[in-house]
């Protein structure tokens, strides 16, 4: 069985009416079956697309501002997690081009 490590970063500031489609996942690493993960992501994406289709411009803008604030606030944790992911990718023998794509940078 293949498994996939994922990281979940909740964004509590996003208004509940815009994030109600999320399946609750713990805010730490977990391992899950790839098939189950992809089915979960697919269900979330379908629900999100329906909700976003009905959201007003103001709601979408507010959600984006909250998400941007969370990214800025959690920058240190995100960079540290990225370094762990890069180390694991190097250990797995990923090619330099793929490592470059995985690397977070200051320029965005």
């Amino acid at each position: 069985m293949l498994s996939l490590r994922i990281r979940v970063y909740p964004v509590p500031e996003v208004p509940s009416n815009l994030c109600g489609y999320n399946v609750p996942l713990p805010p730490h690493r977990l391992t899950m079956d790839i098939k189950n993960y992809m089915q979960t992501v697919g269900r979330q994406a379908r629900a999100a697309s329906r909700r976003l289709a009905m959201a007003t411009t103001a709601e979408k803008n507010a959600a984006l501002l909250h998400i941007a604030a969370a990214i800025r606030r959690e920058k240190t944790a995100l960079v540290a997690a990225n370094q762990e992911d890069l180390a694991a990718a190097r250990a797995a023998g990923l090619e330099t081009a793929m490592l470059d794509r995985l690397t977070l940078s200051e320029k965005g």
Side-chain angles (χ1 to χ4, degrees), residues 83-94:
Q83 292 303 312
E84 288 180 26
D85 292 342
L86 287 169
R90 280 188 201 94
L94 230 60

Side-chain angles (χ1 to χ4, degrees), residues 3-107:
S3 65
L4 176 68
R5 271 184 3 158
I6 62 168
R7 295 175 194 270
V8 179
Y9 294 96
V11 184
E13 298 89 351
V14 174
S16 60
N17 64 325
L18 292 180
C19 61
Y21 50 83
N22 287 324
V23 172
L25 295 171
H28 60 279
R29 284 186 221 184
L30 71 132
T31 302
M32 70 173 25
D33 175 14
I34 291 175
K35 180 180 177 183
N36 290 336
Y37 173 73
M38 294 307 295
Q39 287 174 339
T40 299
V41 169
R43 283 190 296 273
Q44 289 177 327
R46 188 178 312 118
S49 70
R50 290 177 182 144
R51 174 59 187 107
L52 286 173
M54 296 184 307
T56 66
T57 298
E59 287 174 320
K60 292 175 196 175
N61 288 342
L64 289 171
L65 290 172
H66 288 299
I67 292 167
I71 290 170
R72 284 191 294 274
R73 185 188 66 244
E74 299 297 329
K75 176 182 174 183
T76 302
L78 291 169
V79 169
N82 183 245
Q83 292 303 312
E84 288 180 26
D85 292 342
L86 287 169
R90 280 188 201 94
L94 230 60
E95 294 184 21
T96 305
M98 289 300 294
L99 290 170
D100 187 52
R101 290 184 187 115
L102 289 174
T103 304
L104 293 178
S105 68
E106 286 291 324
K107 53 186 174 176

